[in-house]
């Protein structure tokens, strides 16, 4: 609002319900009469009720026996049974021993190709101990077959 209009306000801005001041006296009197009547709510508590309630409840409860789920005896029993099973399956006398004779060549080759890296093998074997002649089987029949299969023209082209 502008300052010049503040002096010309004719209404206060507050409104009251219709017949509010005509009935206010009756409303106040009825409230006072209700407060006099309302002091007694209809519920009564016996004398010293809250002082003796705890003793009454405790006297009605029974003493129960407490069973521990995990005591020392059960833990030792379970641990010994578990140890017995572990030892039985690890030290089984019926287990057959694996030897190199029982392994077939394909299994060893597959293991070496899939599990072992070349660097590991080269570190284990000295080159001084190996020669190419260790891996060649000089069989007269195989040499003759090899020589028969060689085509001399292949060597001349190179």
């Amino acid at each position: 609002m502008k300052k010049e209009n503040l002096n010309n306000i004719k209404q206060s801005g507050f409104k009251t319900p219709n017949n509010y001041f005509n009935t206010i006296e009756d409303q106040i009197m009825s409230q006072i009469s209700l407060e006099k009547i309302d002091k007694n709510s209809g519920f009564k508590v016996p004398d010293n009720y809250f002082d003796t309630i705890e003793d009454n409840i405790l006297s009605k409860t029974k003493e129960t026996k407490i069973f521990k789920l995990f005591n020392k005896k059960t833990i030792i029993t379970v641990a010994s049974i578990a140890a017995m099973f572990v030892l039985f399956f690890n030290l089984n006398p019926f287990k057959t021993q694996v030897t190199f004779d029982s392994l077939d060549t394909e299994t060893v080759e597959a293991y070496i190709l899939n599990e072992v890296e070349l660097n590991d093998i080269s570190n284990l074997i000295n080159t001084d101990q190996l020669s190419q002649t260790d891996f060649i089987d000089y069989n007269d029949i195989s040499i003759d077959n090899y020589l028969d299969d060689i085509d001399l023209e292949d060597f001349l082209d190179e």
Side-chain angles (χ1 to χ4, degrees), residues 36-155:
K36 289 181 183 177
I37 296 171
D38 199 32
K39 286 185 180 178
N40 186 3
S41 66
F43 297 104
K44 290 187 179 181
V45 178
D47 294 335
N48 297 326
Y49 177 76
F50 293 107
D51 295 335
T52 60
I53 186 76
E54 184 177 354
D55 296 331
N56 289 338
I57 292 173
L58 290 176
S59 68
K60 292 179 182 178
T61 59
K62 295 180 181 178
E63 188 71 26
T64 58
K65 188 174 182 182
I66 298 173
F67 294 103
K68 292 183 181 179
L69 292 178
F70 300 108
N71 60 13
K72 196 173 189 178
K73 185 178 179 181
T74 57
I75 291 174
I76 291 172
T77 305
V78 170
S80 63
I81 291 171
M84 182 181 64
F85 277 113
V86 168
L87 287 175
F88 178 74
F89 287 114
N90 285 337
L91 301 176
N92 191 356
F94 305 112
K95 208 184 276 186
T96 59
Q97 296 293 329
V98 177
T99 61
F100 286 111
D101 296 333
S102 66
L103 294 175
D104 58 340
T105 308
E106 294 175 2
T107 306
V108 175
E109 286 178 0
Y111 174 76
I112 290 173
L113 291 175
N114 294 331
E115 299 294 329
V116 179
E117 294 184 19
L118 292 176
N119 293 336
D120 296 338
I121 296 173
S122 66
N123 290 337
L124 294 174
I125 299 173
N126 293 334
T127 56
D128 299 337
Q129 296 173 348
L130 296 177
S131 68
Q132 189 174 9
T133 58
D134 292 339
F135 297 102
I136 298 175
D137 183 21
Y138 293 108
N139 189 349
D140 291 335
I141 297 171
S142 64
I143 292 173
D144 288 337
N145 289 337
Y146 177 71
L147 291 175
D148 288 338
D149 293 339
I150 293 178
D151 191 14
L152 293 176
E153 293 178 2
D154 292 338
F155 289 115

Side-chain angles (χ1 to χ4, degrees), residues 1-11:
M1 285 189 193
K2 296 179 181 178
K3 281 187 175 184
E4 48 209 47
N5 289 338
L6 289 178
N7 295 332
N8 297 332
I9 295 177
K10 304 247 187 233
Q11 296 177 348

